[in-house]
Amino acid sequence: MSRIGNQPIELKDGIEFSIDADNVVTIKGEKGSDTLKVDESITIEKKDGELIVSRSSEEKSQRALHGLYRSLIGNMVQGVSEGYKKELEIRGVGYRASLSNGVLEMTLGFSHPIYFVAPDGVDLEVDTKKRKNPTIIVSGINKELVGQVAAKIRSLRPPEPYNGKGIRYVDEWVRRKAGKSAAKA
């Protein structure tokens, strides 16, 4: 029994749902629209302003797909209505970020600047206030794509445990290590 798959997905006002003959789900909202190809064994129906996801059999693979597609469609509904956002913080002396013409330019302690172009469907913002670390804000309607772009930017200079320098998520806690001098005592 899939506990997640059995939960209905509430459709808020202003969200349109459609499914075509090829089992492609399209959800449109105020922030945009998103599509998803659903497995043939999963059926989706709209009742009383809610989406109900059901499966055709009780096989183990069907039960797994049931919960998966319910979560993916729920993420799509939240994405087109509210959107997703990840914030990355740059820590380090001389580490900077700026955005010009949709290209993110970062100075991360290498001998050259790093340029990053966001894919379609993802918006980048840079918040640089005085006396504060620069913050990169990644936002969009697709949860998977926002997370993937944020992880890619973080991987350019992940936080290191000795000085704490690098790119980290705003709410991320990095475990710090003592240096060599602590081992001599």
Side-chain angles (χ1 to χ4, degrees):
M1 173 146 193
S2 174
R3 294 188 180 123
I4 292 175
N6 289 333
Q7 295 174 359
I9 303 166
E10 182 182 339
L11 287 179
K12 299 174 182 144
D13 293 336
I15 295 178
E16 299 175 23
F17 162 78
S18 64
I19 187 166
D20 62 6
D22 295 334
N23 250 10
V24 176
V25 174
T26 304
I27 296 181
K28 295 179 184 171
E30 56 197 47
K31 297 227 180 224
S33 66
D34 206 356
T35 60
L36 175 70
K37 172 87 171 93
V38 179
D39 194 69
E40 294 86 26
S41 61
I42 304 295
T43 57
I44 302 159
E45 51 192 49
K46 184 177 179 181
K47 284 185 184 174
D48 303 328
E50 292 181 334
L51 293 180
I52 297 169
V53 181
S54 56
R55 59 181 179 260
S56 60
S57 69
E58 290 294 322
E59 294 178 27
K60 188 171 186 175
S61 62
Q62 297 300 314
R63 292 193 314 256
L65 288 176
H66 186 206
L68 170 75
Y69 282 116
R70 191 266 173 221
S71 293
L72 291 176
I73 294 169
N75 290 342
M76 287 170 55
V77 169
Q78 184 179 347
V80 297
S81 62
E82 301 165 21
Y84 290 101
K85 180 170 82 168
K86 291 239 181 206
E87 295 183 15
L88 299 157
E89 179 183 30
I90 301 177
R91 285 195 189 175
V93 177
Y95 288 14
R96 291 187 301 274
S98 64
L99 189 67
S100 59
N101 296 333
V103 177
L104 179 66
E105 180 183 354
M106 295 173 282
T107 306
L108 300 174
F110 298 116
S111 61
H112 54 83
I114 296 174
Y115 298 99
F116 185 83
V117 179
D120 293 338
V122 174
D123 297 323
L124 296 175
E125 296 175 43
V126 176
D127 183 19
T128 54
K129 293 182 181 165
K130 266 199 171 217
R131 303 272 180 207
K132 206 172 164 210
N133 293 324
T135 305
I136 301 169
I137 301 167
V138 183
S139 59
I141 62 170
N142 189 332
K143 184 177 186 178
E144 180 183 3
L145 195 56
V146 168
Q148 188 175 5
V149 168
K152 177 65 178 168
I153 292 173
R154 183 185 180 275
S155 73
L156 297 173
R157 183 66 111 172
E160 52 99 9
Y162 296 103
N163 296 326
K165 299 192 308 186
I167 302 175
R168 64 176 76 186
Y169 296 109
V170 168
D171 56 351
E172 182 179 6
W173 181 77
V174 177
R175 185 168 171 263
R176 301 290 295 270
K177 292 182 179 178
K180 285 182 178 181
S181 60
K184 288 182 181 179

